[in-house]
Amino acid sequence: MISQPLKPYVIGLDLGGTNSVFGIVDSRGDIKATTAIKTQSYNKVDDYVNASVEALQIIIDQVGGIDKIKAMGIGAPNANYYKGTIEYAPNIVWGHDCIVPLADMFSQKLGIPVAITNDANAAAIGEMTYGVARGMKNFIMLTLGTGVGSGIVINGQLVYGCDGFAGELGHVIMRRENGRTCGCGRTGCLEAYCSATGVARTARELLSTSNEPSMLRDMKPEDITSFDVSVAANKGDDLAKRVYDFTGEMLGEACADFAAFASPEAFIFFGGLTKAGDLIMDPIKKSYDEHVFHIFKGKAQFLISGLDGSSAAVLGASAIGWDIQE
């Protein structure tokens, strides 16, 4: 149950490499107030937490004070749900070379329970609490952004594994030979192909290995982004459409493998690449049907997140707060 008449709100923090966005959220998923600070403006975590609490105090007062707040949830890169820590996050200046007990630090400053999980897990919890996964007990969330993140829900529970870091489906190896180098240091990972950066990379490869006409040739190869590919594909550019065919085919193949261990009722996609709509979803479904083990055929839905992109991360983080047992 998430109705708390005496404490009707939770705080959600979407902690990104550039911005930290805070929202105060009610049990229906309505964001009542928001504020933000620059994550990288602080070299020390203590300064970051102090600045966060200072910014938060203004919107906490707007909803009636801290007595109205049940808890706080944080979605962040390299976050460990079990320990309440951020561990060696490469893109956070105060957290890239150490383990930061961020949940405890916020809890001590605010006087409320605080939980933390990685951003893709937060998205999955948000979808289950407020979005298209309401009522689902088994689904896989795939976030297609700068990287490929995932949150796996089985029997109504998020999968954390023994150490809090389970669910890194973006780093399943899809190409065993001559695979692309991934940001994680390995080669052939799903993320190296099916993230926004992977899509741009595929476009550059197709442009360099063919003479096929494309409006993308008007750009410097290094300037091409996944958004540019999407614009070109929507205008009927055949080479750009082939980029999405390739990307969707690999995602469908990966989902067919994921079905073998999780048997989800749905795969839910979130992030910038989903804006391509049928251009990517159709090849995903086609490839999935071609590769999935026959006993799983026709069982999983393929859905795009129902949460508004600008607020989804805050909602996901806030959803963790409702689950905290005081």
Side-chain angles (χ1 to χ4, degrees):
M1 287 291 292
I2 60 176
S3 76
Q4 290 279 340
L6 297 178
K7 296 187 176 183
Y9 306 117
V10 293
I11 298 169
L13 164 56
D14 170 31
L15 198 168
T18 304
N19 296 309
S20 290
V21 181
F22 303 84
I24 295 181
V25 185
D26 70 13
S27 61
R28 292 174 299 185
D30 292 330
I31 298 175
K32 297 299 183 182
T34 61
T35 190
I37 65 170
K38 294 288 183 187
T39 308
Q40 304 290 49
S41 294
Y42 309 93
N43 291 321
K44 295 180 179 177
V45 68
D46 292 294
D47 295 337
Y48 169 79
V49 172
N50 288 335
S52 296
V53 171
E54 191 175 322
L56 264 173
Q57 197 58 57
I58 297 168
I59 60 171
I60 289 171
D61 289 343
Q62 287 174 18
V63 299
I66 198 68
D67 290 343
K68 299 288 186 183
I69 310 290
K70 177 185 186 290
M72 177 178 180
I74 303 171
N78 290 57
N80 187 322
Y81 175 76
Y82 289 147
K83 296 180 179 177
T85 52
I86 290 179
E87 305 187 9
Y88 306 104
N91 297 320
I92 297 177
V93 66
W94 43 260
H96 66 84
D97 61 355
C98 57
I99 296 174
V100 178
L102 197 67
D104 277 348
M105 294 178 76
F106 270 108
S107 184
Q108 286 170 19
K109 287 282 185 182
L110 293 169
I112 57 175
V114 179
I116 189 169
T117 191
N118 82 40
D119 32 18
N121 284 344
I125 295 170
E127 207 65 52
M128 187 163 55
T129 308
Y130 308 117
V132 296
R134 266 188 172 173
M136 290 187 187
K137 298 289 188 187
N138 298 276
F139 68 94
I140 293 176
M141 184 96 182
L142 290 165
T143 60
L144 308 177
T146 307
V148 174
S150 58
I152 304 166
V153 173
I154 295 178
N155 298 338
Q157 294 187 313
L158 200 65
V159 174
Y160 283 113
C162 69
D163 57 1
F165 290 113
E168 289 290 353
L169 297 180
H171 297 286
V172 167
I173 293 177
M174 299 301 296
R175 294 291 181 267
R176 294 281 168 189
E177 295 180 10
N178 303 314
R180 292 178 185 173
T181 302
C182 179
C184 74
R186 304 195 308 159
T187 56
C189 292
L190 182 68
E191 181 172 295
Y193 297 90
C194 298
S195 59
T197 45
V199 164
R201 197 165 167 183
T202 300
R204 286 192 285 270
E205 286 180 6
L206 289 180
L207 288 166
S208 67
T209 56
S210 79
N211 295 316
E212 186 177 349
S214 170
M215 62 182 69
L216 295 172
R217 294 192 185 278
D218 298 336
M219 303 178 65
K220 290 181 180 177
E222 64 271 20
D223 291 339
I224 293 170
T225 67
S226 63
F227 177 74
D228 299 317
V229 179
S230 176
V231 169
N234 277 304
K235 289 181 177 176
D237 189 296
D238 286 336
L239 185 141
K241 287 198 280 190
R242 284 205 293 123
V243 173
Y244 280 110
D245 286 343
F246 172 83
T247 306
E249 184 175 340
M250 184 175 286
L251 278 168
E253 187 181 332
C255 287
D257 285 342
F258 303 157
F261 73 81
S263 188
E265 54 199 294
F267 292 94
I268 301 170
F269 297 86
F270 174 78
L273 288 192
T274 63
K275 290 181 173 62
D278 290 344
L279 285 170
I280 193 163
M281 295 305 291
D282 285 349
I284 288 174
K285 294 172 194 172
K286 182 173 182 287
S287 175
Y288 180 83
D289 286 341
E290 288 172 0
H291 290 101
V292 74
F293 186 35
H294 63 88
I295 60 170
F296 299 117
K297 264 194 179 169
K299 293 179 179 176
Q301 301 177 71
F302 286 78
L303 304 171
I304 291 175
S305 170
L307 300 180
D308 172 54
S310 60
S311 59
V314 167
L315 287 175
S318 76
I320 308 162
W322 295 117
D323 289 336
I324 297 175
Q325 302 300 315
E326 293 186 77

